[in-house]
Amino acid sequence: MYIPLFSTTRKRHERRGGGGGGGEGVGEGVVGGGEGEDGGESSGGSSGGKSSGGSGPSTGEIEPYPVPLKSSSVSGKSSASAYGYGGGKSITIPSGQLFEGRSAGGGTRNQIFGSKSYGSGYPGITGRGVAGRGFPFWFWPIVWGSTAAETAPYLNGSEYGDSFNTSRFGGPLMEATFISNNSTPNTAFHVLSDNSTITSLIDTVSGHCSSHLSSSSSKTPFPFNTSSPSAPQPGQVVQYYRASSVALTLDGYNNSATFSSNQNATDTPLPSNIDMTLLNCLNQTIALSMPLVDGSPVLFAVPSVPTLMLLSLVISSISSFI
């Protein structure tokens, strides 16, 4: 059954600096289940009610706000919208521009979820890899290093340049680290995407998840260098979003399915001893707030609990542990 992710009710967005309790909230994250559009395992979901110590995004009153694009190589787009709905008419990239002839635009927020598989999160498209694809959300997919691509050819995204490519929609690839303040277990996540997106997500995550974050978590973006031995690896991805242009990774996780020749291989379950509260908060906040290019100015209310439960992502793979 299809339920729209957002209504067009006008609400007011309040950016929070502290992320503490009080006020209306999406509430505590809970385990969801189901499959993403590409058939991969997925996670997510939330329960309603009051927010608890910044455990999830504020449902308060939300209104999209502009996020400047560090680069806008396609069709002169100059900004996206945090909490925006996306949508609009898909275009064909005109002659003389990068990736001419491919489609761009049209993707909406209720289509952003992929799975743990590179190439997921493309509305209506299944299978691994990103070669030759269009840009349903305008943003380009992230890229991995040459070593990973040699091991699993579908991880080759070289047609989009390296991670430092300044022509990338939203600017070069950056990352942010979000570390749990719960020492048992010690849990560290990374979010990878373009400069504009990471800058925006640091703001929203810091606001909504602050009570679960260590002070050593990122305050500003830093370059994602695929050649660095300490850089996040494709086997550590726990969720792709927005046509694989955003990835959430977990230190210490190694998904054997990433490098399997069988694209239907079963994903390795996430460890049972990680900070699930922080993971839920990150997943919800990224899903609700990541910048999208709007086709028209649509204002929306935060989705209801049943609607959020439809956004079932990677956490289903660990439901047996909690």
Side-chain angles (χ1 to χ4, degrees), residues 36-55:
E37 283 190 329
D38 66 346
E41 285 189 339
S42 23
S43 79
S46 74
S47 64
K50 300 287 185 179
S51 63
S52 174
S55 61

Side-chain angles (χ1 to χ4, degrees), residues 90-183:
S90 176
I91 69 162
T92 298
I93 298 175
S95 176
Q97 294 196 20
L98 294 173
F99 305 110
E100 62 181 70
R102 298 190 193 184
S103 62
T108 61
R109 191 164 298 274
N110 57 343
Q111 297 174 314
I112 61 172
F113 284 119
S115 64
K116 298 183 183 75
S117 179
Y118 186 54
S120 63
Y122 285 78
I125 299 178
T126 61
R128 301 192 297 185
V130 297
R133 293 187 179 180
F135 307 92
F137 300 96
W138 298 91
F139 295 88
W140 303 4
I142 67 168
V143 295
W144 297 108
S146 57
T147 301
E150 289 169 2
T151 306
Y154 81 93
L155 293 171
N156 187 347
S158 59
E159 67 193 77
Y160 305 101
D162 61 23
S163 59
F164 304 110
N165 186 359
T166 57
S167 296
R168 174 177 289 272
F169 196 76
L173 290 179
M174 307 292 280
E175 65 175 290
T177 303
F178 298 108
I179 302 172
S180 171
N181 60 9
N182 183 350
S183 59

Side-chain angles (χ1 to χ4, degrees), residues 79-82 84-86 107-109 112 137 139 242 290-294:
S79 69
S81 296
Y85 179 72
T108 61
R109 191 164 298 274
I112 61 172
F137 300 96
F139 295 88
R242 204 183 64 184
M290 75 171 67
L292 296 182
V293 175
D294 289 315

Side-chain angles (χ1 to χ4, degrees), residues 109 112-122 137 139-144 168 173-174 178 190-198 201 237-249 282-283 285-287 289-292:
R109 191 164 298 274
I112 61 172
F113 284 119
S115 64
K116 298 183 183 75
S117 179
Y118 186 54
S120 63
Y122 285 78
F137 300 96
F139 295 88
W140 303 4
I142 67 168
V143 295
W144 297 108
R168 174 177 289 272
L173 290 179
M174 307 292 280
F178 298 108
H190 302 262
V191 182
L192 314 175
S193 193
D194 60 275
N195 194 348
S196 297
T197 296
I198 295 298
L201 288 178
V237 172
V238 299
Q239 187 63 55
Y240 285 102
Y241 312 82
R242 204 183 64 184
S244 292
S245 64
V246 182
L248 175 65
T249 71
L282 287 171
N283 184 52
T285 303
I286 292 168
S289 72
M290 75 171 67
L292 296 182

Side-chain angles (χ1 to χ4, degrees), residues 259-283:
F259 293 101
S260 172
S261 58
N262 177 10
Q263 68 173 345
N264 297 315
T266 301
D267 291 319
T268 300
L270 298 181
S272 60
N273 63 339
I274 63 174
D275 187 340
M276 283 298 304
T277 304
L278 176 57
L279 175 55
N280 273 312
C281 188
L282 287 171
N283 184 52

